[in-house]
Amino acid sequence: MHTGEPFQLRKARDFGQIFSDTFAFLRQEWRPLLRAIALIGLPVGLIGGFLSGDALAGVQHFQIRAESDPEGALALLGSSMIGLVPGMLLLMAAWALVVAMAHEYLRAYHLGEHQVLSSGDIIKRGLAQIGPYLGASPLSGLLVLLGLILCVLPAIYPATVLSLVLAAHAIERTGGAGSLSRSNQLVSGDFWPTLGLAIVMVIIKSIIDQVLVLPFTIAGLVIGVNAGLESATGGGPLELPAWISAFNAVSTAVQWCVQMLTYPVIAVAYMLKYFSRVEETEGIGLKEKIAGFDQV
């Protein structure tokens, strides 16, 4: 149960205010957010990441053994792919759960329901709305992918104008297609500030992610360098340690889970941007205050 000072989400903010208020909100509300993610998102993500990491280790072994033992390498690749598909499906499911739960908590906070909201309630609400969030995310993702196919620069435009899709559905229940239109409407006329916010928050999240998984990154580099040195000094083919599959599986699982735990950084920033644009273009909060005065 939350007992802190209420945080005003519906408010017009400039770039600096959105940046600072994102972390102010997370400092205040990180416990219920991360608790819900840890209860259901992380277990699924751990399993999916472990299976995917183990499969990727098999791909590495395949690349090394392809010349010396083609038949054995192909058999190894085939067995590795068996774990890759369910691993990726589990990761997609975990991400969908994390996205839905984060935004449903922000919706509950906006409605003043967060004080009596348990982790189980957040999970239930996330599961109930996972369909619309899944509908909105792939639609916007396909448009961004189309831009990437054309060129990097065209991908930046849809990624920016559709950045408020999930926030729009969380607050307005606009659904998949409706959220695309609503996000485009809100970002229209504010493209560059929205792009700037997206770039800064993605960079910050990436830095946090990299710092948290730094031990695994360093260990992976050491393993690769040692394997290369042993191959060069021994004169034989490059060989990875027998335990590399287990290391890759654990490392991949941890990296995916860290990214899920830091996802609220992006979700909160975009939610504050959503509310800011609504206030700047429509003045919903001001209208509600005026209506409240009229009723007094």
Side-chain angles (χ1 to χ4, degrees), residues 7-291:
F7 192 93
Q8 185 180 356
L9 293 177
R10 189 183 289 282
K11 176 183 175 181
R13 294 175 169 90
D14 59 24
F15 179 91
Q17 290 172 324
I18 292 176
F19 178 82
S20 60
D21 285 355
T22 293
F23 293 97
F25 181 87
L26 289 171
R27 282 196 299 270
Q28 179 176 293
E29 300 296 324
W30 68 271
R31 286 183 180 86
L33 271 170
L34 296 193
R35 191 181 300 120
I37 292 173
L39 281 174
I40 188 169
L42 290 193
V44 179
L46 278 171
I47 298 172
F50 189 89
L51 292 174
S52 300
D54 184 66
L56 293 176
V59 173
Q60 289 180 319
H61 284 293
F62 164 76
Q63 292 173 336
I64 293 172
R65 295 173 54 183
E67 293 184 5
S68 59
D69 183 15
E71 293 185 2
L74 286 174
L76 178 63
L77 180 64
S79 62
S80 300
M81 292 301 100
I82 294 175
L84 182 62
V85 174
M88 294 305 297
L89 290 175
L90 285 172
L91 283 174
M92 291 173 59
W95 264 110
L97 288 168
V98 169
V99 167
M101 289 187 296
H103 285 87
E104 285 305 293
Y105 182 79
L106 291 170
R107 172 184 170 84
Y109 193 96
H110 168 62
L111 297 175
E113 301 170 350
H114 61 289
Q115 294 184 354
V116 294
L117 204 63
S118 67
S119 297
D121 294 327
I122 300 173
I123 293 170
K124 289 178 183 177
R125 294 188 182 195
L127 288 171
Q129 287 294 319
I130 198 169
Y133 286 116
L134 276 173
S137 298
L139 283 174
S140 56
L142 285 173
L143 291 175
V144 174
L145 179 60
L146 178 61
L148 280 172
I149 293 173
L150 296 174
C151 187
V152 174
L153 289 178
I156 294 176
Y157 180 79
T160 304
V161 299
L162 300 178
S163 59
L164 306 183
V165 163
L166 299 174
H169 173 73
I171 304 302
E172 303 179 22
R173 291 295 190 250
T174 45
S179 298
L180 299 178
S181 176
R182 181 60 168 155
S183 178
N184 181 61
Q185 176 190 1
L186 291 173
V187 176
S188 178
D190 194 55
F191 177 84
W192 293 110
T194 304
L195 175 60
L197 176 68
I199 292 174
V200 169
M201 298 313 298
V202 168
I203 290 175
I204 290 175
K205 182 185 181 302
S206 299
I207 292 174
I208 296 172
D209 291 343
Q210 291 304 313
V211 169
L212 293 176
V213 301
L214 186 59
F216 289 93
T217 303
I218 295 174
L221 289 174
V222 171
I223 292 170
V225 170
N226 286 340
L229 289 175
E230 290 178 4
S231 174
T233 56
L238 179 65
E239 288 290 342
L240 293 175
W243 46 265
I244 193 64
S245 295
F247 172 81
N248 274 14
V250 173
S251 176
T252 302
V254 170
Q255 291 181 49
W256 277 107
C257 288
V258 165
Q259 292 185 46
M260 291 176 192
L261 287 172
T262 59
Y263 172 73
V265 172
I266 300 294
V268 173
Y270 284 163
M271 184 63 74
L272 294 181
K273 183 64 177 179
Y274 160 82
F275 277 118
S276 180
R277 288 300 296 155
V278 169
E279 287 305 298
E280 291 168 2
T281 58
E282 301 170 6
I284 300 296
L286 179 60
K287 292 177 183 177
E288 289 178 351
K289 289 182 180 180
I290 294 174

